[in-house]
Amino acid sequence: MPPAPIVPVLDLTADSVAITRAICDIPSVSGDETLLADLVEQALAGASHLEVIRDGDTVVARTNLGRERRVVIAGHLDTVPINENLPTRFETVDGVEYLWGRGTVDMKAGVAVQLKLALELTDPVVDLTWMWYDNEEVAASLNGLGRLAGSRPDLFTGDFAILGEPSNGQVEGGCNGTLRAEVRATGLRAHSARSWVGENAIHKLAPALARLAEHEAETVEVDGLAYREGLNAVLVSGGIAANVIPDEAVLTVNYRFAPSRNVAEASEVVREFFDGFDVTVTDSAEGARPGLDAPLAQQFVRAVGAEARPKYGWTDVARFSALGIPAVNFGPGDPLKAHADDERVATSQIRHTEIALRDWLTGATA
Amino acid sequence: MPPAPIVPVLDLTADSVAITRAICDIPSVSGDETLLADLVEQALAGASHLEVIRDGDTVVARTNLGRERRVVIAGHLDTVPINENLPTRFETVDGVEYLWGRGTVDMKAGVAVQLKLALELTDPVVDLTWMWYDNEEVAASLNGLGRLAGSRPDLFTGDFAILGEPSNGQVEGGCNGTLRAEVRATGLRAHSARSWVGENAIHKLAPALARLAEHEAETVEVDGLAYREGLNAVLVSGGIAANVIPDEAVLTVNYRFAPSRNVAEASEVVREFFDGFDVTVTDSAEGARPGLDAPLAQQFVRAVGAEARPKYGWTDVARFSALGIPAVNFGPGDPLKAHADDERVATSQIRHTEIALRDWLTGATA
């Protein structure tokens, strides 16, 4: 008789730190989320208060209690590639206990809290739509939340959305937009032994780099939050051989812009900044206003006792924002540790997030 | 019976333009010179006034007439890659007849003149060492002349050397040296959404590019000839991803320096120019002083009725110069057409070079 295969089972009645550990130790690098999505689906399948919907490797679970308001709470299942940082382990630094390993911050601790509460909260004060999705860490075209918004727009109804992205247990509102552009200089090729016959395209990038080096990015206040922008060269390339005067040089810049501007306005900022150069916008994503003027958002911030801060990085809150649903990031973990090889989350932040979210959703802090 | 294979034979009693055409139509891109070297060796094998030596795809032929002085005359057999510019054809532009095609300028016209005279001149006024070598257009380590200088230094004796590189039928003396260096800026990696946490290495290249853009290269007089220098960026690279503040950016520069400086001095010029940057010299070749103060060189310039000019590009005359043999470039063809897709040589320049060289070597213009 063959040995019984080991079938992992996800126990969502466990402690949220234990759930975090369990789902981190099931690797789910983007594109490889099926096993974890299966376990999530199975763990919730028996809950009579939830309607469970599976779409690819995205799992949606929602209550249909006829509440006045509906809150969407979402998190992605995937992580960036593992770099010898799995399985997880506990470590204590300066008296603080951390769970160390890939995914602990971005964002399985947040997902663990959500999963635990999804099963536990049979009678929340608002109707809930939980979404756990695939492929957040890769090309936008693969994003599970984006796919679902296209195929099942009916699931995207709600008065408020919470994304569990790491925010140190604070509420981070909205997000900066992002735009990538190529700044191109052209010249005339020549043999480098007779450089005066040509025109050096790399040299022509000098004023573009000088402007960037001198530039001080703006900080823009939007709905009471200060969004710090950034305009940076991220790639540069030019030249075809070590004995040829280059006829083309390309600087790729990334503009992170406050959500008070849209992509068209941000593109104009970049074109003006690089006046005199050939500028091509190659990629962009709108930002999201913090949405903290929505009553439910204000009540949430008060209830979880958090300070509202701006989110600098682009996150999927922008998708909800685009659908007219005010959305914030609220999750355990320091965003600066996301994607880091020493990614680790303070276990106290996991517990804090769990308690704050439970209290709000059960009306204890309403 | 199988058909007889077509065996090309090189007839060196033909007109020098016809010989140019014949050897251009035998492709010999660097590394693929064997057939042409075989034909050259065979064409000279029967000449009783010549000792023929074969070394790889390099052929040497020399007279041993006991003359007081010996002149080395050399040319390379290889070309840069063909770009739909073979077989050759004649074309007339503004009343001037050209032979068009890969290798016509660099440098099979020069080789053709040499081959013709090597066979014809049984009684020259000086002893002659003819050298036709492989792999000039590729890495210096593959250069046939360099290989021969190492394996057969005895062949490199002489009072004067003439390299048949294209010089518009004029005498170009010496050559600039060349040096390649990497100019490196370093920073601190960060997510581009929080650029202020990092330090942008690409931005740090700004002053290096500004100095290059403003720089006016020197013109340095050496032995009566004016050598124009050049300091140029030839390659630039930096950045690892479109959402990461780059921690390294590298500018590759090429310094073409007058032969009054040696590599050590030229390296110092580059280091001072890029003061504040990490500079690594990655490749270099000494230049060659024009050598026009040598009596035989002066007599040669007078005899061929040419104007002495500086050679800007590095050529193998530097190898002879390093061995203490004054050396000049003298060949048909406009150097600006070397490597060009519309490479073409005025047939009158081929004939002019042939006549001038014959007259000098037979004492007609001594």
Side-chain angles (χ1 to χ4, degrees):
Chain A
M1 233 171 63
I6 295 164
V7 180
V9 170
L10 193 53
D11 176 10
L12 297 181
T13 64
D15 167 61
S16 56
V17 174
I19 299 174
T20 304
R21 189 166 199 196
I23 63 177
C24 284
D25 288 343
I26 298 163
S28 57
V29 175
S30 310
D32 199 21
E33 301 94 335
T34 306
L35 174 58
L36 183 53
D38 286 350
L39 290 171
V40 166
E41 187 183 6
Q42 287 157 19
L44 296 172
S48 59
H49 67 293
L50 293 173
E51 176 194 2
V52 178
I53 297 144
R54 175 76 179 248
D55 182 288
D57 287 333
T58 290
V59 180
V60 176
R62 62 177 177 178
T63 62
N64 295 299
L65 303 167
R67 301 286 190 254
E68 235 174 89
R69 293 174 303 186
R70 176 175 290 278
V71 173
V72 181
I73 303 181
H76 61 84
L77 296 175
D78 61 322
T79 70
V80 294
I82 296 157
N83 191 8
E84 296 181 8
N85 49 7
L86 276 190
T88 53
R89 62 168 187 256
F90 287 103
E91 58 179 29
T92 300
V93 180
D94 296 335
V96 176
E97 186 191 57
Y98 291 92
L99 180 63
W100 172 100
R102 175 63 75 231
T104 52
V105 169
D106 192 7
M107 57 172 277
K108 289 185 174 174
V111 166
V113 167
Q114 295 173 357
L115 289 171
K116 181 173 179 59
L117 295 179
L119 184 69
E120 178 190 314
L121 302 183
T122 54
D123 190 32
V125 294
V126 289
D127 262 314
L128 292 171
T129 304
W130 306 93
M131 294 179 167
W132 299 285
Y133 58 102
D134 56 291
N135 284 300
E136 192 269 351
E137 298 288 5
V138 286
S141 60
L142 299 174
N143 186 296
L145 200 63
R147 183 183 68 239
L148 199 67
S151 63
R152 292 292 307 268
D154 56 300
L155 297 177
F156 287 74
T157 50
D159 304 281
F160 183 48
I162 298 168
L163 211 64
E165 290 278 358
S167 59
N168 270 318
Q170 302 300 317
V171 175
E172 294 190 343
C175 66
N176 273 334
T178 179
L179 173 155
R180 194 154 61 233
E182 289 182 354
V183 178
R184 198 174 304 268
T186 51
L188 188 65
R189 223 179 261 193
H191 196 291
S192 65
R194 291 176 210 86
S195 51
W196 52 90
V197 176
E199 261 181 65
N200 196 311
I202 295 178
H203 295 190
K204 287 188 180 180
L205 283 183
L209 286 189
R211 283 176 225 170
L212 283 170
E214 285 161 20
H215 179 61
E216 294 210 9
E218 269 187 80
T219 296
V220 182
E221 198 174 300
V222 185
D223 299 346
L225 296 186
Y227 286 84
R228 190 162 172 180
E229 298 196 325
L231 178 55
N232 272 274
V234 286
L235 298 166
V236 65
S237 66
I240 54 151
N243 61 352
V244 177
I245 300 302
D247 61 347
E248 185 174 85
V250 180
L251 192 63
T252 303
V253 299
N254 182 212
Y255 179 33
R256 300 282 175 152
F257 52 95
S260 53
R261 310 187 204 269
N262 61 26
V263 165
E265 290 161 346
S267 301
E268 199 44 42
V269 169
V270 172
R271 286 187 201 288
E272 277 179 27
F273 189 88
F274 294 107
D275 186 37
F277 289 91
D278 173 25
V279 176
T280 311
V281 174
T282 55
D283 193 23
S284 65
E286 300 283 358
R289 296 185 73 99
L292 293 173
D293 41 359
L296 207 52
Q298 290 179 350
Q299 190 233 19
F300 173 71
V301 174
R302 270 198 315 274
V304 301
E307 185 191 337
R309 296 176 182 165
K311 186 79 176 172
Y312 293 120
W314 194 92
T315 77
D316 278 316
V317 299
R319 292 187 198 277
F320 292 103
S321 182
L323 294 168
I325 307 173
V328 298
N329 297 283
F330 175 67
D334 180 349
L336 292 176
K337 286 287 182 196
H339 304 193
D341 289 343
D342 64 341
E343 185 172 348
R344 63 185 188 197
V345 63
T347 54
S348 61
Q349 281 197 2
I350 305 178
R351 293 196 180 92
H352 160 80
T353 308
E354 176 196 333
I355 292 166
L357 206 52
R358 176 189 291 114
D359 285 353
W360 184 61
L361 293 174
T362 56
T365 52
Chain B
M1 236 173 57
I6 296 161
V7 180
V9 171
L10 192 54
D11 175 10
L12 297 182
T13 64
D15 166 62
S16 55
V17 173
I19 299 174
T20 303
R21 187 164 200 197
I23 64 176
C24 284
D25 288 342
I26 298 163
S28 57
V29 175
S30 310
D32 199 21
E33 302 93 335
T34 307
L35 173 59
L36 182 54
D38 286 350
L39 290 171
V40 167
E41 187 183 4
Q42 287 157 20
L44 296 172
S48 59
H49 65 294
L50 291 174
E51 174 194 4
V52 178
I53 298 144
R54 175 76 179 251
D55 181 288
D57 287 334
T58 291
V59 180
V60 176
R62 62 176 177 180
T63 63
N64 294 298
L65 303 166
R67 300 289 190 253
E68 236 173 89
R69 293 176 303 187
R70 176 174 289 276
V71 172
V72 181
I73 303 181
H76 62 84
L77 296 175
D78 62 321
T79 70
V80 295
I82 296 157
N83 190 9
E84 296 180 7
N85 49 6
L86 275 188
T88 54
R89 61 168 188 256
F90 287 104
E91 58 179 29
T92 301
V93 180
D94 296 334
V96 177
E97 185 191 58
Y98 291 92
L99 180 62
W100 173 99
R102 175 62 77 229
T104 51
V105 169
D106 191 8
M107 57 170 280
K108 289 185 173 175
V111 166
V113 168
Q114 294 172 358
L115 289 170
K116 179 171 180 61
L117 295 179
L119 184 69
E120 178 190 313
L121 302 183
T122 54
D123 191 31
V125 295
V126 289
D127 263 313
L128 292 171
T129 304
W130 305 92
M131 294 179 168
W132 300 285
Y133 59 101
D134 57 291
N135 283 300
E136 193 267 350
E137 298 288 5
V138 286
S141 59
L142 299 174
N143 185 298
L145 201 63
R147 183 183 68 239
L148 199 67
S151 64
R152 292 292 307 267
D154 55 301
L155 297 176
F156 287 74
T157 51
D159 303 281
F160 183 49
I162 298 167
L163 209 66
E165 291 279 357
S167 58
N168 270 320
Q170 302 300 316
V171 175
E172 294 190 343
C175 67
N176 273 334
T178 180
L179 173 154
R180 193 155 61 231
E182 289 181 355
V183 178
R184 197 173 305 266
T186 52
L188 187 65
R189 223 179 261 192
H191 195 292
S192 65
R194 291 175 209 88
S195 52
W196 51 92
V197 175
E199 262 180 67
N200 196 311
I202 294 176
H203 295 190
K204 287 189 181 180
L205 284 182
L209 287 189
R211 283 176 224 169
L212 282 168
E214 287 160 18
H215 179 62
E216 295 211 8
E218 270 186 80
T219 296
V220 182
E221 198 174 300
V222 184
D223 300 348
L225 295 186
Y227 285 85
R228 188 162 174 181
E229 298 196 326
L231 177 56
N232 273 275
V234 286
L235 298 167
V236 66
S237 66
I240 54 153
N243 61 352
V244 177
I245 300 302
D247 61 346
E248 185 174 87
V250 180
L251 192 64
T252 303
V253 299
N254 183 212
Y255 180 32
R256 300 282 175 154
F257 53 93
S260 53
R261 309 187 205 268
N262 61 26
V263 164
E265 289 162 345
S267 301
E268 199 44 40
V269 168
V270 172
R271 285 185 202 289
E272 277 179 28
F273 189 87
F274 294 107
D275 186 36
F277 289 91
D278 173 25
V279 175
T280 311
V281 174
T282 55
D283 193 23
S284 64
E286 300 284 358
R289 297 185 73 99
L292 293 172
D293 41 358
L296 207 52
Q298 290 180 350
Q299 190 232 19
F300 173 72
V301 173
R302 273 198 313 275
V304 300
E307 183 192 337
R309 296 175 182 168
K311 185 81 175 171
Y312 295 120
W314 194 92
T315 77
D316 278 317
V317 298
R319 293 186 197 277
F320 291 105
S321 180
L323 294 167
I325 306 172
V328 297
N329 296 284
F330 177 66
D334 181 348
L336 292 177
K337 286 286 183 197
H339 304 193
D341 288 343
D342 66 340
E343 186 173 347
R344 63 186 189 198
V345 63
T347 54
S348 61
Q349 281 197 1
I350 305 178
R351 295 197 179 89
H352 160 81
T353 308
E354 175 195 334
I355 293 166
L357 205 53
R358 177 190 290 109
D359 284 355
W360 184 61
L361 293 174
T362 57
T365 52

